[in-house]
Amino acid sequence: MKTIKTIIAFLAIVFTISCEDRLEVVPEDNVASSTVFSSLETINGLVVGIYSKNQSGDLNGNPQLISEFMSDNVNFVGSFPSLQEIDQYETLATNVTIDNTWFDGYELIAAANNVIQNLPDVSTEDVTGLTEDMKTTFIAEAKFLRALTYFQLVNLFAQPFQFSAGTNLGVPIVTAFFEGGDISEFQLERSTVNEVHTFIEQDLLDAAAALPEDNGTRAEAGSARALLARLYLYREQWAQAADLANQVISSGEYTLASDYDFYDDNPNSSEHIFVTINTPTDGPQEAAGSDEVYVNFFNPAPGGRGDAPFSQNLIDAFAAEAGDRRFDELSQAASDAGGNNTFFTTKYPDIVNNASDGMVLRITEMYLIRAEANLRNGSSVGDSPLNDINLLRNRAGLANLGSVDLAAISLERRKELCFEGHRRMDLLRNNLNLRPGGGPESAPGADKVIFPIVDDEINNNPNITQNPGNF
């Protein structure tokens, strides 16, 4: 069993050149030319560049933060106007945060499309060291990262599948290479949520079939299967969700950690399936890097901003059952930015180096997916829902339950995954208000529980439809 289950954007399969050096070799205005497909070094550099784009705080950082404070896990006390708008369900199409997420997302998709579209035509006879197996792996990595990004975008800019069985508008699907993140040149209407999900599903099926089971520090077959399990859960395809989660659990590539040390800057834990590694040498990724978002917002002063403490509702959820190690060991008492005494998560502890990692997929989520999908489907693929939930409770220092229902599974899911960006979608897909006792503005299906299509896209694309609401 391997020990490293992480993604680090500046490592390559063959070479040890830094990410920054690779990006100098592969400039943005030349990535579609035949020159960059003429050597193994530059081809690998293109793929590494996609991983680097995934480090953007607007793709891996802000969406997780926003998921937590739009819902009932975080009491946001920050002063950034763009984040305050979102927190108060008053998001405008001119909001700079969502603008950055939209364009950074499509910039990553463009980089992935470049590899997916052009690498198949590259002859291994013309590139020293390049093999067909390498080509297959590179393309599969690009498909996984493209799928991950489309999933992020459709979750933010569209109502979930449950809103109208997926017939509602999602986001535009672009498969061609283009410069930067501006897709308005294509003049595309938005595809439906079902169409976007189908596209994501195919990318992940392709990636799962083509990626190695062990791909060192990069995306691998288990990463694709795990994200596919999440997609099926969100779509209420219970049998498929349970099956894919069980495949990941039973693969032997990942194991449930015995304690919570994997949060303490431990990317080598077998708990991790896919992690965005952030290091002190990364630097900004066009906007604030994801390390800056996680460290600055989720930590109190002096190391952080103190903007995103536990909500009282989440504190109460943990307090209802004393001795939960997920609170006792993963929280700290401190004052927030407003001077209130509260608690902060310690899941992003590397304040000194400003380099805590972003957890995208880990084995714990697979147990939760399997438990929920089996319960809803009346099945016991891999194990029973009760056994899966008690396994997680035992690690948390809690007594076994005698039975489980959906509420019990949802509570364990909340306490396991808090501050990791799952809560908003978990509430929406279960038709629950994002705020306890919340009004119509935070109810499922409300206009601004999702983001508006950004103003720059609306102004330059007459064919795209804006989401309902006063933007």
Side-chain angles (χ1 to χ4, degrees):
M1 182 185 302
K2 71 181 184 179
T3 59
I4 298 178
K5 288 291 164 199
T6 58
I7 296 301
I8 183 166
F10 60 87
L11 288 182
I13 290 177
V14 180
F15 299 98
T16 58
I17 304 171
S18 72
C19 178
E20 288 79 5
D21 288 339
R22 282 204 184 90
L23 295 179
E24 289 171 6
V25 173
V26 188
E28 283 287 336
D29 60 358
N30 198 36
V31 290
S33 74
S34 60
T35 303
V36 299
F37 289 98
S38 63
S39 77
L40 179 55
E41 179 179 354
T42 53
I43 293 169
N44 186 63
L46 286 177
V47 180
V48 171
I50 308 172
Y51 286 107
S52 181
K53 292 179 186 300
N54 187 56
Q55 286 182 289
S56 165
D58 295 307
L59 295 179
N60 199 301
N62 272 331
Q64 289 75 12
L65 170 69
I66 288 165
S67 172
E68 299 299 303
F69 72 60
M70 282 191 80
S71 60
D72 54 1
N73 277 353
V74 161
N75 176 36
F76 186 70
V77 292
S79 58
F80 284 101
S82 64
L83 297 180
Q84 288 178 333
E85 272 188 12
I86 298 169
D87 176 61
Q88 296 163 12
Y89 305 104
E90 296 175 350
T91 313
L92 301 176
T94 54
N95 185 290
V96 65
T97 295
I98 68 165
D99 187 85
N100 288 339
T101 295
W102 178 273
F103 285 102
D104 280 12
Y106 278 104
E107 185 173 337
L108 185 151
I109 288 165
N113 288 350
N114 188 32
V115 173
I116 296 165
Q117 177 180 324
N118 293 307
L119 185 54
D121 294 331
V122 175
S123 172
T124 56
E125 295 180 0
D126 297 331
V127 180
T128 301
L130 181 67
T131 67
E132 288 296 333
D133 284 347
M134 285 180 180
K135 286 175 57 177
T136 298
T137 298
F138 287 148
I139 292 167
E141 288 179 275
K143 285 188 174 183
F144 171 79
L145 290 165
R146 182 172 71 176
L148 178 64
T149 304
Y150 269 123
F151 201 22
Q152 187 76 274
L153 292 175
V154 77
N155 289 340
L156 292 171
F157 290 93
Q159 295 286 356
F161 167 81
Q162 289 74 16
F163 181 74
S164 62
T167 61
N168 50 300
L169 290 177
V171 295
I173 297 174
V174 184
T175 59
F177 171 71
F178 56 97
E179 298 292 347
D182 187 359
I183 61 167
S184 61
E185 63 183 276
F186 294 102
Q187 304 287 279
L188 292 173
E189 174 58 301
R190 298 158 63 189
S191 297
T192 66
V193 168
N194 282 337
E195 289 167 338
V196 177
H197 282 176
T198 297
F199 186 83
I200 293 167
E201 178 187 33
Q202 190 59 57
D203 264 359
L204 293 175
L205 288 170
D206 291 347
L211 284 169
E213 294 295 331
D214 184 343
N215 198 24
T217 60
R218 294 160 73 143
E220 52 199 17
S223 311
R225 294 186 190 113
L227 189 59
L228 193 55
R230 186 189 295 175
L231 174 67
Y232 288 145
L233 184 79
Y234 283 14
R235 289 188 57 78
E236 301 183 358
Q237 295 176 228
W238 311 125
Q240 294 96 320
D243 178 58
L244 265 294
N246 185 59
Q247 286 185 42
V248 178
I249 293 168
S250 60
S251 69
E253 291 291 317
Y254 319 95
T255 57
L256 195 69
S258 60
D259 53 38
Y260 302 103
D261 285 349
F262 62 87
Y263 287 115
D264 189 18
D265 195 31
N266 183 11
N268 296 331
S269 172
S270 62
E271 173 89 12
H272 296 308
I273 300 172
F274 186 90
V275 176
T276 297
I277 295 296
N278 295 301
T279 74
T281 60
D282 285 335
Q285 305 294 318
E286 283 119 27
S290 59
D291 53 346
E292 296 179 41
V293 174
Y294 289 121
V295 171
N296 288 343
F297 287 94
F298 284 122
N299 282 285
R305 294 179 54 86
D307 287 350
F310 280 68
S311 68
Q312 187 60 50
N313 186 267
L314 182 58
I315 293 172
D316 293 343
F318 277 110
E321 195 170 10
D324 196 320
R325 295 175 63 193
R326 294 167 296 193
F327 183 82
D328 294 348
E329 298 178 16
L330 296 173
S331 69
Q332 60 177 319
S335 297
D336 65 24
N340 307 296
N341 293 328
T342 184
F343 292 89
F344 288 84
T345 185
T346 60
K347 288 186 176 183
Y348 307 100
D350 193 356
I351 298 175
V352 174
N353 294 313
N354 199 36
S356 284
D357 303 327
M359 290 156 289
V360 180
L361 294 160
R362 57 186 181 93
I363 192 65
T364 302
E365 185 191 354
M366 297 302 104
Y367 283 98
L368 291 162
I369 288 175
R370 190 171 73 175
E372 180 180 341
N374 274 330
L375 182 78
R376 290 181 183 269
N377 201 43
S379 55
S380 56
V381 174
D383 209 336
S384 68
L386 179 62
N387 285 344
D388 280 343
I389 293 304
N390 280 336
L391 182 67
L392 301 181
R393 286 175 57 83
N394 290 166
R395 182 172 70 168
L398 301 177
N400 283 344
L401 297 174
S403 62
V404 291
D405 55 13
L406 183 58
I409 293 174
S410 296
L411 177 60
E412 293 304 316
R413 184 176 173 91
R414 181 187 189 187
K415 293 195 290 185
E416 279 284 347
L417 301 178
C418 57
F419 305 102
E420 296 177 40
H422 297 265
R423 185 60 174 168
R424 170 182 164 274
M425 285 298 295
D426 282 344
L427 290 169
L428 292 180
R429 68 183 178 84
N430 283 293
N431 199 38
L432 297 172
N433 200 299
L434 291 181
R435 299 277 170 81
E441 72 283 350
S442 56
D447 290 344
K448 294 193 177 180
V449 297
I450 62 174
F451 293 166
I453 304 303
V454 300
D455 195 54
D456 287 336
E457 185 69 32
I458 292 292
N459 289 340
N460 293 294
N461 179 3
N463 296 323
I464 200 165
T465 302
Q466 180 59 277
N467 283 323
N470 181 18
F471 301 120

